Amino acid sequence: MRFKVGDRVIENGMGHGTVMAVYDRKGNYAIEFDKNIGGHDCNGLTKGGYGWYCLERDLTSTNPTIGNSRLEFKWV
């Protein structure tokens, strides 16, 4: 699985959202989108109308990364 709960993602047709659950081992995720997409609530995992199950191949991460590691910032 490429994404974890809490990761921010983009689905090209629906916009920005947050991974709320890894739905199964086939790469399906419950995504809560930032706006009402006319979806559903992913069986109570998202707000009504904001949820949709998406395939991993249709999602792009918005988290800043280098390789497979997330960047960490320290203000000095």
Side-chain angles (χ1 to χ4, degrees):
M1 298 285 124
R2 192 169 118 202
F3 302 107
K4 294 180 177 71
V5 172
D7 283 351
R8 295 286 296 159
V9 294
I10 298 173
E11 201 286 335
N12 289 334
M14 293 183 256
H16 291 80
T18 303
V19 175
M20 301 305 285
V22 179
Y23 188 67
D24 62 25
R25 294 183 184 263
K26 296 178 184 176
N28 291 304
Y29 297 86
I31 307 296
E32 181 174 285
F33 289 92
D34 294 350
K35 61 181 181 186
N36 187 326
I37 59 165
H40 47 78
D41 70 354
C42 293
N43 292 317
L45 296 170
T46 69
K47 293 186 281 187
Y50 288 72
W52 200 258
Y53 291 111
C54 298
L55 296 173
E56 184 173 274
R57 68 173 184 239
D58 297 328
L59 301 171
T60 304
S61 176
T62 63
N63 297 324
T65 60
I66 295 179
N68 293 329
S69 302
R70 289 189 181 172
L71 293 175
E72 292 186 26
F73 297 95
K74 181 178 180 182
W75 295 98
V76 289

